[in-house]
Structures are given as structure tokens and as C-alpha cells.
Amino acid sequence: MEIKVNYLDNLRLEAKFDDFTVISDQPIRYKGDGSAPGPFDYFLASSAMCAAYFVKVYCNARDIPTENIRLSQNNIVDPENRYNQIFKIQIELPEDLSDKDRTGILRAIDRCTVKKVVQTGPEFQIEAVENIDEDTQALLMGTPDSGQHTWIEGKDLPLEETIANMTQLLANLGMKIEIASWRNIVPNVWSLHIRDAASPMCFANGKGSTRESALCSALGEFIERLSCNFFYNDQFFGEQIANSSFVHYPNERWFTLNEDDTLPEGLLDEHCRALYNPDGELHGSQLIDTNSGRRDRGIVALPFTRHSDGETVYFPSNLLENLFLSNGMSAGNTLPEAEVQCLSEIFERAVKRQILEQELALPDVPQSVLDQYPSIVAGIQALEAQGFPVLVKDASLGGRYPVMCVTLMNPKTGGVFASFGAHPSFEVALERSLTELMQGRSFEGLNDFMPPTFNSQAVIEPNNFVEHFIDSSGLVSWRFFSARADIEFVEWDFSGSTEQEAATLFGILAEMGLEAYEFIHSDLGAPVCRIVVPGYSEIYPIDDLIEDNTNKALAFREDILNLHQLSDDQLADLLERLEESECDEHSDITTLIGIEFDDNTVWGQLTLLELKLLINLALGQFEDAQERVATFLQYNDNTVTRGLFYQAMRAVLEIAIDESLDFDDYQHNLTRMFGEEVINAVVGSINGDVRFYGLTPTSMKLEGLDRHQRLLDSYAKLHRHRAGLAGAPLAE
């Protein structure tokens, strides 16, 4: 994690990281102002809070209340060496707590991350650089020795060379990549989380049987998502990039909207139009991209190559963002390697969907076959030793597809997790199923999965598949666990050279009567491909293009960002359009308009319901506001402070609406209950002196929106790089 420190007045310091700001000071006796804790005080508090966190996790997993648990820490300083200290952590537990849970809580404290880092002894590297923001040295810890040459199946270069190439590629773009976390809790199963230090919203996960293979996986995912602009999906690029000569890629093509709003000629091919617009209900305006919002320029589309004949077909950027998410993206050492990975993921997700929706019972992999892969067996045995039964299934549907499945059962919670993996090699597909199972997860994290169900409708519901795609947390049918398999086991093998494997996978699609379209990226210095298979590789329902298109943001973005500048008539018009949109009132404004607000601000937690409520107050619509306040408080998952503001608001609105009540009679005790600041904000919101309490003013210039600006800074690096390669001007 990158922490940037700024000097404030006197000895005060400001540390900024992610979406947080921490202020430190020094005591007056050290010539500070005593306005905040000192850096060492924060360090001491961090270990106590970390210990308390692990206690909370342990108790939450076992439904143990923490109201009567108290924890404290004291540091005992050696008088002869002040750097030699004992951190004494004490915990007070309820008398009725079992001996087993007492022991478990003490063991949980022992797992405190801060404690383990201190005990291990961090290494400090101190250096001077010319410019911190331009220092692009990768922050990858423990990069393997470049003199080694480790080859694994499915890769066309040694792991060490792959890591070096990808790291240099990112450094050339000016991106600092840091490892946020490692996981290796069972043998031969590694995973990690990496992110852009300057823009943590840009992140990737990796998995593998070794540390190096997991790092390769994460770097590859990061680069594929950069190349395909996935990090910036649905987000507003800002006015500067929106007005540039190109928005996404120099070879994009813009299609002018027709007067009757039908799809312009040259967009998609007949095969795709038949799938995405069978009844002529899809309008051109529904395909304007969310990123630029340039209705005047029309529809921006990207050139894909049709695999069957090599013809170029233009896919609207909006269509890709709405339906496919990251499915069908991959980076590789060579293009065939990337294509194999890309197609394997497409088959993995499509076959998983078929199995789950048809509630198929898969055949077990015989133990004699599993014994051929001892490193995989070791990981499975480690999970079972922790009390998690593991089922290893052949998901190839009779040898038709290169897919495997490892399913974990949790007797403690009744939950299950079906993990799928795909690759032309049986062994690699099986390994991926296991590493995907544990990617980024602790043993406690395995408590979060849902129990199986016999409710078929819940299983086949489209959003269930989306949940499976995002983090595999969706529902699984009990029929999946039947001992009577619907398909025979096949010890399949589609492996060969990466060129042969790519041809084989494309061939399977062709045999199914499916068409593949490919967009190849090489501008960053690594082969990346994006493959879409219409009618097969979509994640969201095709109907979303009409019923839930992300570019609904364009109807509201400018007005919401200019909220403080709108007249009453404009506010009334915005409220009416929000009502007519039929958007879920509990959805967040961040998603609605494609702006990354800081999570710790009112903007970052603002829902459509609260926005309507604030507009009601601004327009003096007190009865509507009263109704929405009640709904907000009933379903509130906002901050305690915001909840108290609306509790006070509910009371004051009752007084304002009821002519028999006088506010002066209640002001004193309302102030004692909620505080003067809150009551002043409530009264000001009602009499018009305060508008949109808690929402800082901004505009389409995005001033004050640091989180979104960091995302745009990240994309600007890509945009400048592509413009430089293409010799394209950055602005029209």
C-alpha cells in the first residue's frame, strides 16, 4: 500500500492512502499542538485494533456476542533500551464462554497481522528519488531470481521471464503495482491481490500452485484488464478525454445516430443483429457509450475480427460493457497462449452455467486418476483435514469440454462452493479449479457461502449466474450432489502446443454452430485478446441492453453532479425523471452515474432514495420527504451519523407538518438529544438555508472527487500511450 505524507502546520502531518486521510501531531511537550495522536501512538493502537478485529471475526463466525468482551493492550518498555518493548494484550471474556471458545479466541488474537509482521521484522529500504509520482519501480515483493527458468504447462515462456516482461511493461506506463495480500493456507495453492498504488480501484487477483505462477496470473489479469479498458468500465472519462480525437482506441469507429433511432448501417453483422435486436426494439441511442456520453458523435464501436472468415465487425463499446464484463479477456506471452486462456475461461463459465441451470449431477473423478497428481491431492487433503469435505468432479459433460470442478462443503454452516476451472490439459484444469476455490480466501472466508437448495427457480434466476461469475457465491442445487451422475466420467485430454490448443477450442465452438469474434491488443507490448461468442459468452441477459442499460447514467449524470446549481424547476424535472426511470431506490448513485465517489463521504454512500429525499426537502415537499425518511430509516445501512440526522429530521418534519405543534417547544430537548450541529442542519434543510446537507458541491469538472480523479489519472496514462503510438492528437 502506498502512503503519501504531506507536511501541514507546525508538526502536524497528513498521511493519505486509499480513500483515507490520517492526521498526526506531537504532544505540546515536544513542541507540537497535541491536536492528534503521534505516529507511534497510531502504531501501538494498530496492534490492539488488529487483535480485536480477529476476535470479532472469530465471534461472528460462531454467533458469539461481543458486547461483554473487552480487550486492552499495554506496552512495557525496557528502561535500558526503549526499542525493546513487550506488548501485553489482555482480554476479558464472559464467564459462560466455553473453554473451547476461550482457546479459540486466544488463538485468533495470535493471528493478528500487525503482530506477525512485527515479530518477523519488516525490512526498511530508504532511498531518494527525483519524483515520487514518476517513480515507476514496481512494488512487487519477492520477485523470483531472473536467473531461474521455471516452465509450467500452458505457458510459452519461463515464469521468471514472464514476470520480468510484464513488470517492465507496467513500469513503462508509469504504474506502480503493489501486492496488497498473499494467501497460501493449503499446500500448493497460492493466491494474491495486486493493485495500482496510485489508483487502488485498478486491481487484479492471481492464483497458481506456486508463488511465481500466482504472480504471473495476477500480472496477466492486470494487463488484460488494462488493455481491454475493463478497469474503467461504465465510468465517466471526463470532458477532456470525451472530447479527444479518440475515446477508447485510435482504431475505434463512430456511427452517427439515425433520425428514427434505428441501428446505423455497418454496426454489428447480421448474425449479431439477429441475436441482439430480433424484434427491432434496440435503438441506436441505447448504444451510446457511458464513458464519453457523446450523443452528438453517436455510437463508438470497436473492430473485432470474425473468426470464420477474417472479416471486421464493429461492436458497440456499450454492448460489450453491458453484457460481457471481463469474460473473454486474456494476456499471454504469445497470442495463441492468450487465446487458449481466453477460450478456456469462456468454456468454464458457459459450461458452469449449463451445469448449474440444468441441475446436473457430475461424475466423481476416480481416486486412481487423482493419485496421478500428488500436489493437487495434497491441497485437497489439507482442506479435508480442516473439516471441509471436498468433491472432485469431471465437468467435461462427457469429454466435450475442457472443464473440471472442485466443490467444497462446509459442515459448520451448511454452505457449499462449486469452483470450476478450464484448460485443454486435464491437470491444469483440475489445478485451476482448486486454486480458484481458495483464491484470496481464508478458512473463515469459507463460511460465507450459501447452502444448496431444491428451489430450481432460484438457481436458474439470471442474477444467480452473475453472482457465480463475480465470486462464486451463488446458489447451487441439491441435485448437483446426487450420487447418481447424469454423465459418465471421461479422462479427457485436449492438450498440445498452444497453437494446437487454440485451434481445438475454436473448433469446438464451430462444431456448436457458434461464431467467435476477436479484438487483438498489442499496444502495451504484450499480446492481449478479447474474444466474444454472441449467444454463449454473455454474463448479463441480452435484454439488459433495453431494460437495464448502463447508459441510463447519461440521463442523470450532469444534473446530479451540478445538483447545487440547479433551479427549483430543474430539480423538479430531475426528480420526475428519476421517478419515471423505475430504478431501484436502494441502488447507489456511484453505479447510476458512473462516478467513483470516496466511500467515506455522503456522496459515496448516497442512494437513489436519499437523493430523492434531499430534493424533496430542497423543494419544500415535506410530506413526500417524511415518507422517504421513514423508508430510509427502515432500510438504512448508512453511517450512524447519517442515521441520527434522519432521526432528527423525522421528528422535526412531524412538527413542521402538524400545525398544532410548535418547534420552539421541542428545540431544547431535540438539541440535547441530537446536538446543535445536527439540529441546525435539519432546521436549515427544512427552511431552505441548507440544501443537500452533507453533499459537497461538484460539477462535470469533477472537482473534489479525488477517487474518480485517480481513476482518470490511471486511464490518462493509457490514453496518452495509445495516442503516442498512433500519432493521434489528444483533443479535437
Side-chain angles (χ1 to χ4, degrees):
M1 177 172 66
E2 183 177 49
I3 303 170
K4 290 187 175 180
V5 179
N6 299 317
Y7 292 96
L8 305 179
D9 55 287
N10 196 12
L11 298 181
R12 294 173 73 242
L13 302 172
E14 174 189 70
K16 300 180 77 71
F17 53 94
D18 293 350
D19 294 331
F20 302 99
T21 299
V22 174
I23 304 295
S24 74
D25 200 350
Q26 294 293 334
I28 294 174
R29 66 181 180 275
Y30 295 142
K31 300 188 178 180
D33 298 316
S35 63
F40 188 65
D41 300 323
Y42 280 115
F43 167 67
L44 294 176
S46 71
S47 59
M49 296 177 74
C50 183
Y53 161 76
F54 277 92
V55 171
K56 184 69 172 178
V57 169
Y58 179 92
C59 292
N60 284 352
R62 294 158 181 81
D63 293 323
I64 300 172
T66 55
E67 287 81 0
N68 296 320
I69 295 177
R70 297 198 302 163
L71 183 144
S72 70
Q73 173 184 294
N74 289 282
N75 61 313
I76 303 169
V77 183
D78 184 340
E80 296 182 0
N81 180 2
R82 66 191 181 102
Y83 300 114
N84 182 26
Q85 301 191 14
I86 297 173
F87 286 15
K88 189 171 185 176
I89 296 176
Q90 297 176 314
I91 187 163
E92 181 182 306
L93 299 171
E95 292 183 2
D96 59 351
L97 197 65
S98 69
D99 290 341
K100 179 181 177 182
D101 283 328
R102 287 174 179 272
T103 302
I105 286 174
L106 293 177
R107 287 176 177 170
I109 294 174
D110 194 51
R111 293 175 53 214
C112 167
T113 309
V114 175
K115 180 183 78 70
K116 288 186 176 295
V117 170
V118 172
Q119 287 178 325
T120 301
E123 177 184 345
F124 287 84
Q125 298 177 353
I126 302 171
E127 62 181 0
V129 296
E130 292 184 4
N131 187 314
I132 285 177
D133 294 324
E134 295 178 2
D135 173 28
T136 59
Q137 179 182 2
L139 302 178
L140 303 177
M141 301 297 295
T143 302
D145 184 357
S146 59
Q148 298 177 351
H149 296 283
T150 306
W151 292 85
I152 63 172
E153 189 171 3
K155 297 296 180 185
D156 289 335
L157 286 177
L159 295 177
E160 295 78 15
E161 190 172 341
T162 303
I163 292 170
N165 291 343
M166 290 183 173
T167 300
Q168 187 60 53
L169 182 157
L170 292 167
N172 291 342
L173 281 173
M175 292 188 174
K176 288 184 178 180
I177 306 302
E178 61 183 9
I179 294 178
S181 65
W182 279 105
R183 293 278 186 187
N184 175 221
I185 61 175
V186 297
N188 309 312
V189 178
W190 287 79
S191 67
L192 75 157
H193 178 85
I194 65 173
R195 61 186 187 179
D196 182 350
S199 179
M201 299 82 75
C202 302
F203 65 85
N205 300 302
K207 60 184 183 294
S209 60
T210 66
R211 184 187 65 169
E212 293 79 13
S213 61
L215 180 54
C216 275
S217 171
L219 289 169
E221 181 174 283
F222 197 95
I223 289 170
E224 79 191 33
R225 295 184 173 195
L226 272 182
S227 293
C228 298
N229 287 352
F230 179 73
F231 290 138
Y232 321 102
N233 227 24
D234 306 331
Q235 304 299 324
F236 179 42
F237 284 170
E239 293 180 324
Q240 181 176 352
I241 289 178
N243 294 325
S244 295
S245 57
F246 70 92
V247 173
H248 300 267
Y249 303 95
N251 58 347
E252 68 193 22
R253 180 177 169 188
W254 291 81
F255 292 80
T256 304
L257 292 174
N258 294 325
E259 289 186 7
D260 60 1
D261 209 14
T262 55
L263 298 189
E265 288 297 320
L267 196 65
L268 301 172
D269 60 11
E270 292 304 317
H271 172 66
C272 293
R273 284 183 177 239
L275 281 167
Y276 298 127
N277 193 28
D279 303 316
E281 295 180 351
L282 182 63
H283 299 147
S285 58
Q286 290 169 317
L287 296 177
I288 298 170
D289 72 305
T290 309
N291 309 110
S292 75
R294 289 289 304 273
R295 180 184 177 90
D296 57 316
R297 291 179 75 174
I299 301 167
V300 61
L302 310 180
F304 280 70
T305 300
R306 191 164 56 205
H307 189 262
S308 61
D309 58 9
E311 289 295 316
T312 298
V313 176
Y314 283 92
F315 277 75
S317 170
N318 170 282
L319 183 147
L320 298 168
E321 294 165 0
N322 270 280
L323 301 184
F324 293 94
L325 295 182
S326 64
N327 196 25
M329 301 177 184
S330 187
N333 293 296
T334 62
L335 180 58
E337 181 187 311
E339 289 174 329
V340 169
Q341 173 66 15
C342 194
L343 292 167
S344 294
E345 289 184 355
I346 288 173
F347 281 117
E348 172 194 322
R349 283 139 185 178
V351 172
K352 177 180 183 178
R353 182 172 193 160
Q354 180 180 348
I355 290 167
L356 293 175
E357 291 185 348
Q358 295 180 9
E359 300 177 284
L360 298 176
L362 301 178
D364 292 317
V365 177
Q367 190 61 45
S368 60
V369 175
L370 281 180
D371 288 341
Q372 300 174 39
Y373 314 109
S375 64
I376 295 174
V377 170
I380 293 170
Q381 290 175 340
L383 285 171
E384 295 200 324
Q386 291 288 331
F388 301 106
V390 175
L391 310 176
V392 183
K393 302 281 189 177
D394 169 23
S396 69
L397 301 184
R400 295 175 60 197
Y401 308 105
V403 185
M404 296 296 294
C405 175
V406 174
T407 301
L408 178 141
M409 307 172 73
N410 189 343
K412 299 175 186 176
T413 64
V416 297
F417 174 23
S419 172
F420 289 72
H423 190 270
S425 162
F426 185 98
E427 178 180 7
V428 174
L430 180 56
E431 177 189 287
R432 287 182 176 176
S433 300
L434 180 60
T435 54
E436 174 70 24
L437 182 77
M438 298 305 299
Q439 179 170 284
R441 293 186 173 90
S442 61
F443 287 127
E444 289 82 2
L446 298 175
N447 294 327
D448 299 333
F449 296 103
M450 301 287 289
T453 179
F454 279 111
N455 183 347
S456 299
Q457 286 301 118
V459 173
I460 65 174
E461 206 274 329
N463 279 339
N464 188 49
F465 177 62
V466 175
E467 294 297 323
H468 274 288
F469 174 81
I470 294 171
D471 61 7
S472 297
S473 63
L475 286 168
V476 178
S477 172
W478 263 119
R479 295 176 178 85
F480 177 84
F481 294 94
S482 173
R484 184 182 301 168
D486 294 314
I487 306 127
E488 294 292 327
F489 169 75
V490 174
E491 190 174 358
W492 49 267
D493 182 20
F494 297 91
S495 62
S497 67
T498 50
E499 291 86 352
Q500 292 168 333
E501 290 172 350
T504 297
L505 297 180
F506 275 121
I508 295 173
L509 291 174
E511 289 172 5
M512 298 170 65
L514 297 170
E515 184 68 80
Y517 302 79
E518 183 174 17
F519 188 5
I520 298 171
H521 303 272
S522 58
D523 52 345
L524 300 188
V528 175
C529 65
R530 183 172 194 176
I531 297 174
V532 297
V533 185
Y536 190 69
S537 65
E538 293 88 355
I539 299 300
Y540 282 106
I542 292 173
D543 289 346
D544 278 5
L545 288 174
I546 297 173
E547 298 176 0
D548 193 24
N549 196 301
T550 57
N551 78 357
K552 61 179 176 286
L554 307 183
F556 309 115
R557 179 188 289 153
E558 185 169 359
D559 281 344
I560 291 176
L561 288 175
N562 289 319
L563 195 64
H564 292 77
Q565 288 78 49
L566 298 184
S567 66
D568 284 356
D569 287 343
Q570 290 171 320
L571 283 174
D573 178 66
L574 171 60
L575 182 60
E576 182 178 356
R577 285 184 283 117
L578 288 171
E579 296 279 26
E580 292 174 350
S581 72
E582 298 184 354
C583 294
D584 181 0
E585 284 204 327
H586 301 289
S587 61
D588 57 81
I589 297 301
T590 291
T591 302
L592 175 66
I593 65 174
I595 298 292
E596 285 289 335
F597 298 105
D598 289 352
D599 290 338
N600 303 306
T601 64
V602 177
W603 274 115
Q605 299 177 19
L606 186 68
T607 61
L608 188 56
L609 170 68
E610 188 179 0
L611 176 61
K612 291 179 180 179
L613 166 54
L614 291 171
I615 295 175
N616 287 147
L617 291 170
L619 295 176
Q621 299 169 346
F622 297 148
E623 292 184 357
D624 289 339
Q626 184 183 42
E627 183 178 334
R628 288 196 164 107
V629 165
T631 304
F632 178 92
L633 290 173
Q634 182 178 0
Y635 298 103
N636 174 45
D637 59 358
N638 208 302
T639 63
V640 172
T641 301
R642 202 68 176 167
L644 288 173
F645 169 75
Y646 283 114
Q647 283 189 41
M649 177 65 73
R650 177 166 58 182
V652 177
L653 279 173
E654 292 277 3
I655 296 170
I657 292 171
D658 190 335
E659 295 181 358
S660 68
L661 300 176
D662 190 329
F663 177 73
D664 290 342
D665 295 338
Y666 298 91
Q667 182 175 5
H668 176 68
N669 283 324
L670 282 170
T671 302
R672 293 183 69 190
M673 173 73 79
F674 297 107
E676 186 173 353
E677 180 182 345
V678 169
I679 292 302
N680 287 342
V682 168
V683 173
S685 298
I686 291 175
N687 65 25
D689 293 338
V690 176
R691 287 165 68 89
F692 312 112
Y693 175 65
L695 297 180
T696 55
T698 186
S699 73
M700 289 289 281
K701 301 294 184 184
L702 309 174
E703 61 270 25
L705 304 182
D706 292 342
R707 182 179 173 91
H708 197 85
Q709 291 289 358
R710 279 182 279 156
L711 190 70
L712 295 189
D713 288 345
S714 172
Y715 184 65
K717 295 172 185 176
L718 272 180
H719 197 259
R720 286 194 298 268
H721 176 78
R722 289 168 178 158
L725 291 179
L730 287 176
E732 289 185 320

